[in-house]
């Protein structure tokens, strides 16, 4: 499965670290959606790029900016995207199990590198628990439909 990863300039170094240490033997193939250097870029552009690919591919993604806030706000504008800003592994596991999060968002200026790597590892190795959480995810999708009908 493809795992799309993107960052702005503030998240660039953490993105490169994740790419550098990624175990190529895992089921997830990391696909780098940029940015490709530390020049200033606008996080919504990268958030949209990753979110669209995650949606089209029913895949998972990782987004990184300074705080993780801008990327979260932008990615969650895309229907079908459930982007979760997590700063430790427990939240990352529960974001998958309870919220069926399909994008993990990290704040490179908030979280240390080792904690970020462990948070990513736990996120990709966790899965949606379904059951009572199913109808809540369906209600999120209903909100998206209702918002469109109101347009
Ligand atoms: C860039 O300076 C910074 O604003 C951005 O990376 C992010 O933290 C926004 O939420």
């Amino acid at each position: 499965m493809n795992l799309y990863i993107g960052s702005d300039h503030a998240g660039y170094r953490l993105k490169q670290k994740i790419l550098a240490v990624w175990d190529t033997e895992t089921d997830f193939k990391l696909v780098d959606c940029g940015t490709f250097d530390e020049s200033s870029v606008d996080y919504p552009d990268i958030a949209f790029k990753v979110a669209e690919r995650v949606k089209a591919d029913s895949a998972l993604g990782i987004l990184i900016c300074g705080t993780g806030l801008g990327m979260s706000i932008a990615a969650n504008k895309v229907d079908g995207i459930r982007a979760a800003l997590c700063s430790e592994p427990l939240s990352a596991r529960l974001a998958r199990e309870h919220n069926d999060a399909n994008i993990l968002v990290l704040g490179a200026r908030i979280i240390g590198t080792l904690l970020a790597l462990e948070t990513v590892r736990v996120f990709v190795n966790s899965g949606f628990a379904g059951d009572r959480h199913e109808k809540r995810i369906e209600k999120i999708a209903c909100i998206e439909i209702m918002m469109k009908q109101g347009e």
Side-chain angles (χ1 to χ4, degrees), residues 43-119:
Y43 60 79
D45 297 334
I46 304 290
F48 185 61
K49 193 171 170 183
V50 168
E52 285 271 89
R53 288 178 186 190
V54 166
K55 184 180 172 180
D57 220 0
S58 299
L60 294 179
I62 301 169
L63 283 168
I64 313 164
C65 64
T67 58
L69 293 167
M71 286 293 195
S72 306
I73 292 166
N76 279 314
K77 296 289 179 196
V78 176
D79 283 2
I81 292 301
R82 292 174 297 279
L85 172 57
C86 302
S87 296
E88 30 68 37
L90 176 60
S91 296
R93 178 166 68 78
L94 293 175
R96 293 283 298 123
E97 289 181 0
H98 290 199
N99 313 113
D100 200 14
N102 46 16
I103 295 184
L104 169 68
V105 188
L106 299 167
R109 292 173 178 158
I110 306 296
I111 188 172
T113 304
L114 285 180
L115 194 54
L117 292 172
E118 181 61 7
T119 302

Side-chain angles (χ1 to χ4, degrees), residues 8-34:
D8 70 356
H9 51 286
Y12 174 77
R13 286 187 191 193
L14 179 54
K15 173 171 71 68
Q16 294 313 110
K17 186 73 191 176
I18 293 168
L19 286 161
V21 303
W22 194 251
D23 178 2
T24 50
E25 299 295 305
T26 66
D27 291 341
F28 292 94
K29 179 176 173 274
L30 265 184
V31 180
D32 189 357
C33 300

